[in-house]
């Protein structure tokens, strides 16, 4: 029955399938216990496993938005956050978490500028926009969009970048075309993502385009990845193929739902431990020494 009901072109399922199609060779001789320490914008974190830019977490569990920040901070990770009030962002930052605020491509341009200014004043770690959301969601999974969004020009985006001293991150880049433009405009980072599958069906798996986008960035700005990441082996594959760090969305919500801040911390710790294990068995002593050649796709001989 499940197969009959399956929605064709489900971007999430396609991304998941691509993760699972890649296998990993072992390099045991001279291998050491790996170090997962991660540096971003001058700060050091225990892990490159991050929360995704989530929102409405108080609907998952009372106090969920701030508990997520607490859990992410306690795991020594970078926190991302999406739609939410000024008070919610301030409370998340007040936990001591390093919070990257992703602002929606609201039709109201002044609102975007106000939110950028507020995030910077409140001590956000970085800001950005989910530029894949300019037409809203195709699959909103039960959430109604209560605000209008609209397409943004290069000029609009350039204005947002110039409005803040913080790195301005483009979230939802899924082509070399957009990656080149993001770089030209002065993006402070790129999230290779298809928004967990909610923007369009048949989306290219972020992991598949990742090496090309990482090549375009050439180490000048950090490259992040999200969508369909559930475990440390996924994070390893993304790091090997060019990501600097990786976000977990719906899987993290399961941790929050089960056990609040502790559930979030445990989830990030568990994913990090599988990442470390995979680094160990591939002779990757730290994040910089993961060799992309340990990843085998089906066509390699
Ligand atoms: C409940 C929920 C709320 C989200 N809210 C936002 C948001 O406000 N802004 C945003 O850029 N992305 C948002 N996302 C998308 C995530 O940042 C991320 O791209 C996606 O969840 C990654 O896929 P995954 O859930 O398969 O890990 C949300 C996702 C979920 C599940």
């Amino acid at each position: 029955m499940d197969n009959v009901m399956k929605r064709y072109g489900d971007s999430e399922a396609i991304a998941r399938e691509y993760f699972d199609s890649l296998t990993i060779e072992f390099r045991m001789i001279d291998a050491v216990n790996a170090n997962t320490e991660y540096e971003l914008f001058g700060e050091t974190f225990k892990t490159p496993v991050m929360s995704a830019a989530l929102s409405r977490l108080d609907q998952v569990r009372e106090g969920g938005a701030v508990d997520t920040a607490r859990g992410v901070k306690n795991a020594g990770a970078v926190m991302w956050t999406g739609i939410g009030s000024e008070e919610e962002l301030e409370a998340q930052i007040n936990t001591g978490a390093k919070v990257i605020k992703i602002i929606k491509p609201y039709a109201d341009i002044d609102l975007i500028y106000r939110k950028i200014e507020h995030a910077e004043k409140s001590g956000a770690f970085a800001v950005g926009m989910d530029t894949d959301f300019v037409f809203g969601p195709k699959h909103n999974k039960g959430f109604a969009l209560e605000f209008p969004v609209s397409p943004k020009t290069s000029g609009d985006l350039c204005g947002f970048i110039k409005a803040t001293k913080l790195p301005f991150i483009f979230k939802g880049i899924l082509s070399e075309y957009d990656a080149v433009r993001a770089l030209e405009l002065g993006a402070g980072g790129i999230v290779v993502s298809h928004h967990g599958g909610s923007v369009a069906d048949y989306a290219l798996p972020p992991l598949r385009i990742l090496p090309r986008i990482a090549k375009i960035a050439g180490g000048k700005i950090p490259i992040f990845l999200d969508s369909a990441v559930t475990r440390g082996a996924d994070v390893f594959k993304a790091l090997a193929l060019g990501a600097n760090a990786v976000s977990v969305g719906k899987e993290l919500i399961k941790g929050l739902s089960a056990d609040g801040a502790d559930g979030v911390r445990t989830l990030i710790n568990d994913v990090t431990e599988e990442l470390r294990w995979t680094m160990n068995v591939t002779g990757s002593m730290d994040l910089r020494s993961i060799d992309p050649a340990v990843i085998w796709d089906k066509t390699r001989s």
Side-chain angles (χ1 to χ4, degrees), residues 129-135 151-154 157 161 168-194 199 204 209 212-214 216-217 221 223:
M129 177 170 284
D130 44 340
T131 50
D132 57 358
F133 213 76
V134 293
F135 298 104
K152 296 290 170 277
T153 63
S154 296
L157 294 166
I161 291 170
F168 190 95
I169 295 171
F170 284 44
K171 174 173 180 281
I173 299 287
L174 204 61
S175 62
E176 290 176 276
Y177 180 93
D178 275 353
V180 167
R181 272 146 199 84
L183 258 289
E184 283 170 359
L185 290 172
I190 283 176
V191 186
V192 184
S193 163
H194 60 36
V199 170
L204 186 64
I209 188 83
R212 292 175 188 234
I213 293 180
I216 288 166
I221 58 170
I223 300 297

Side-chain angles (χ1 to χ4, degrees), residues 6 13 26-27 30 47 65-66 97 99 109-110 112 123-124 133 137-138 143 149 163 167 190 203 238 249 285 294 298:
K6 186 176 179 329
F26 295 163
R27 296 184 184 178
D30 295 327
T47 174
V66 177
V99 182
I109 299 276
D110 290 341
I112 296 173
F133 213 76
K138 181 161 196 300
F143 285 122
V149 290
I190 283 176
M285 62 188 294
V294 301
K298 281 181 183 153

Side-chain angles (χ1 to χ4, degrees), residues 53-55 82-83 102 104 130 171 193 195-196 226-228 249-250:
L54 298 171
S55 53
I83 308 164
I102 296 299
K104 284 278 156 216
D130 44 340
K171 174 173 180 281
S193 163
H195 220 106
D226 77 23
S227 298
K250 287 181 283 299

